[in-house]
């Protein structure tokens, strides 16, 4: 079975685009071309990356901040997404764990100003330019946390490479622990603080449940909507593969279980957020601004994952659909009202079996359709 039915996710949190989202995306793409082009094997690889619209992730997750900070956030997420893309590529960083460790050590040396990276080291040059922009808006405590967050992200990337090269699939909790690092959860929190101009250092105990459910919801939504890409790249560190290969679920049963987990963590996040807002710390302006930021982070992140060709194939154009049948094997796929009769030839053009999923409710899966 190579296609599944994706039900509507709850999407209980607000979605908003920054008022200058288009300008920020264009400027951020220009920054990638000028600063990170040398990280790609070819011009076509760079153009494929730029067509993924990764420059919209910032404007969607921090829609309320000023344009300068929104651009900083957009560029940061582009930076780490370039790294993530090359970690997943067995012809690039993903081919050699030792080489990846060397590159990441140079990135950290440049970040700390230790001079480990050479002057033409693209990752380091781009990272330093970003850091010159972002660090003045952070407190000393946040700067310390940021170094740890970047190191955790790179450590998670190396762990993912190791599992992929050794053909191992982890158990669920191991996967989730590694994903907390490789998904960048620590710097995601810091980018939310930076955009809201607040410092949540020292608030981990107050916000523990909020962060647990926020980050798990985001990871599971990401692994669900990016499953076509991760399946094609044979990535091991994804909760979808864990449920299928370690827990024996069929494809549709796996998707249904992930949707249940998304619903659980999203509602648990809202309950934990409301408990903080209604408690003794809920009157603090910084706490309230940060929690508003997390709401937009969760809602905006999901919106991006529905719209990006990164997950649905180069050439994909989102029509606003959020539920339907998805092919794992089509070069370009989309949300469909009915299962395809031949997923190996599915394209992004209309066929006799295609209908607009927004014109009516998607056809519910029958028992025969949900069996793997």
């Amino acid at each position: 079975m190579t296609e599944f039915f994706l039900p509507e996710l709850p999407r209980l949190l607000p979605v908003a685009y920054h008022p200058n989202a288009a300008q920020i995306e264009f400027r951020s793409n220009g920054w990638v071309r000028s600063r990170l082009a040398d990280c790609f094997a070819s011009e076509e690889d760079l153009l494929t990356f730029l067509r993924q619209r990764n420059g919209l992730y910032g404007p969607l997750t921090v829609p309320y901040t000023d344009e300068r900070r929104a651009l900083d956030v957009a560029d940061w997420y582009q930076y780490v997404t370039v790294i993530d893309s090359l970690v997943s590529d067995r012809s690039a960083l993903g081919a050699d764990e030792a080489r990846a460790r060397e590159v990441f050590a140079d990135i950290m040396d440049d970040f700390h100003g230790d001079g480990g990276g050479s002057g033409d080291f693209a990752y380091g040059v781009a990272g330093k330019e970003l850091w010159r922009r972002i660090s003045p808006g952070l407190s000393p405590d946040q700067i310390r946390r940021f170094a740890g967050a970047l190191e955790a992200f790179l450590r998670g990337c190396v762990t993912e490479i190791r599992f992929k090269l050794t053909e191992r699939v982890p158990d669920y909790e191991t996967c989730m622990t590694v994903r907390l690092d490789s998904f960048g959860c620590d710097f995601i929190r810091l980018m939310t603080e930076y955009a809201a101009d607040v410092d949540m250092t020292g608030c981990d105990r107050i916000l523990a449940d909020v962060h647990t459910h926020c980050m798990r919801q985001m990871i599971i939504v990401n692994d669900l909507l990016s499953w076509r890409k991760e399946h094609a790249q044979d990535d091991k560190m994804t909760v979808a593969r864990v449920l299928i290969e370690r827990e024996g679920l069929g494809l549709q049963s796996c998707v249904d279980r992930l949707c249940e987990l998304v619903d659980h963590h999203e509602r648990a996040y809202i309950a934990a957020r409301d408990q903080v807002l209604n408690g003794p710390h809920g009157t603090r302006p910084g706490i309230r601004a940060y929690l508003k930021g997390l709401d937009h982070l969760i809602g905006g992140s999901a919106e991006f994952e529905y719209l990006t060709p990164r997950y649905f194939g180069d050439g994909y154009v989102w029509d606003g659909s959020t539920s339907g049948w998805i092919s794992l094997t089509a070069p370009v796929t989309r949300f469909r009202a009915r299962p395809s009769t031949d997923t190996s030839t599915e394209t992004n053009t209309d066929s006799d079996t295609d209908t607009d999923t927004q014109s009516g409710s998607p056809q519910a899966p029958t028992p025969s359709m949900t069996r793997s």
Side-chain angles (χ1 to χ4, degrees):
M1 184 176 183
T2 58
E3 62 181 359
F4 62 85
F5 180 80
L6 178 70
E8 291 284 359
L9 297 179
R11 304 197 74 192
L12 303 174
L13 295 159
V15 175
Y17 289 72
H18 193 280
N20 302 111
Q23 296 94 322
I24 291 168
E25 181 186 8
F26 296 150
R27 290 175 64 190
S28 187
N29 281 347
W31 181 82
V32 171
R33 175 176 282 285
S34 66
R35 298 286 180 171
L36 293 167
D38 289 345
C39 298
F40 294 88
S42 67
E43 174 75 2
E44 183 52 39
D45 287 344
L46 169 62
L47 292 176
T48 298
F49 179 86
L50 295 177
R51 287 193 294 268
Q52 293 172 355
R53 309 208 65 184
N54 298 299
L56 270 180
Y57 192 81
L60 272 166
T61 54
V62 293
Y64 48 82
T65 194
D66 63 76
E67 186 172 358
R68 181 184 63 81
R69 289 201 181 206
L71 179 61
D72 292 344
V73 171
D75 288 352
W76 174 261
Y77 283 131
Q78 293 251 48
Y79 176 67
V80 295
T81 303
V82 169
I83 295 173
D84 177 74
S85 297
L86 300 179
V87 163
S88 299
D89 185 349
R90 293 202 187 198
S91 67
L93 285 177
D96 187 335
E97 180 185 345
R99 173 58 183 153
R101 286 184 182 277
E102 291 175 3
V103 170
F104 295 161
D106 282 348
I107 289 174
M108 290 308 302
D109 284 346
D110 275 320
F111 184 85
H112 289 299
D114 295 336
S118 64
D120 59 356
F121 178 59
Y123 298 105
V125 172
K128 284 191 288 189
E129 193 274 333
L130 263 177
W131 191 236
R132 281 195 296 269
R133 285 192 268 149
I134 293 172
S135 58
L138 301 176
S139 71
D141 283 334
Q142 287 174 310
I143 290 173
R144 172 185 51 78
R145 288 167 53 207
F146 210 109
L150 180 57
E151 192 161 12
F153 166 68
L154 299 176
R155 180 177 65 244
C157 289
V158 168
T159 304
E160 289 203 7
I161 292 172
R162 184 185 315 125
F163 271 84
K164 189 170 183 175
L165 292 178
T166 57
E167 299 290 334
R168 290 186 295 146
V169 177
D171 61 77
Y172 186 86
E173 285 303 324
T174 298
C175 177
M176 191 60 72
T177 298
V178 174
R179 293 288 282 135
L180 288 169
D181 285 345
S182 65
F183 194 69
C185 290
D186 288 343
F187 64 64
I188 285 173
R189 288 167 50 184
L190 280 159
M191 286 291 96
T192 305
E193 293 175 39
Y194 176 71
D197 196 16
V198 297
D199 185 353
M200 292 293 102
T201 304
C203 294
D204 283 354
R205 183 185 59 79
I206 299 168
L207 299 170
D209 288 343
V210 167
H211 286 149
T212 293
H213 295 294
C214 169
M215 297 307 165
R216 289 200 172 216
Q217 190 273 3
M218 291 179 65
I219 289 169
I220 295 168
V221 170
N222 176 265
D223 285 8
L224 178 60
L225 296 181
S226 71
W227 177 230
R228 175 195 167 279
K229 167 183 172 289
E230 313 301 344
H231 177 270
Q233 294 178 331
D234 196 30
D235 280 352
K236 307 300 183 183
M237 198 65 65
T238 168
V239 290
R241 190 172 293 279
V242 168
L243 293 182
I244 291 171
E245 296 195 20
R246 287 293 296 262
E247 301 191 15
L249 296 186
L251 176 57
Q252 187 63 53
S253 297
C254 167
V255 170
D256 293 343
R257 177 59 179 150
L258 291 177
C259 291
E260 291 171 0
L261 288 167
V262 169
D263 186 82
H264 164 71
H265 287 298
E266 190 161 327
R267 294 179 189 279
Y269 161 79
I270 291 170
R273 177 206 66 191
D274 288 348
Q275 185 173 7
V276 173
L277 288 173
N278 295 325
H281 303 286
T283 58
R284 292 166 54 181
I287 290 280
R288 300 188 74 86
Y290 177 66
L291 292 175
K292 176 185 175 183
L294 289 185
D295 283 358
H296 281 286
L297 169 69
I298 295 170
S301 182
E303 178 88 350
F304 171 79
E305 287 158 2
Y306 282 114
L307 68 81
T308 177
R310 180 176 180 82
Y311 298 153
F312 299 109
D314 192 25
Y316 165 80
V317 178
W318 190 40
D319 65 2
S321 301
T322 53
S323 176
W325 289 88
I326 296 176
S327 169
L328 292 177
T329 57
V332 179
T333 193
R334 68 177 184 182
F335 301 93
R336 303 166 64 99
R338 299 182 181 89
S340 172
T341 56
D342 182 2
T343 58
S344 66
T345 59
E346 180 187 0
T347 67
N348 205 37
T349 59
D350 286 341
S351 70
D352 291 340
T353 60
D354 283 337
T355 62
D356 184 351
T357 59
Q358 291 184 305
S359 64
S361 299
Q363 179 182 345
T366 65
S368 61
M369 294 174 184
T370 60
R371 191 176 301 118
S372 175

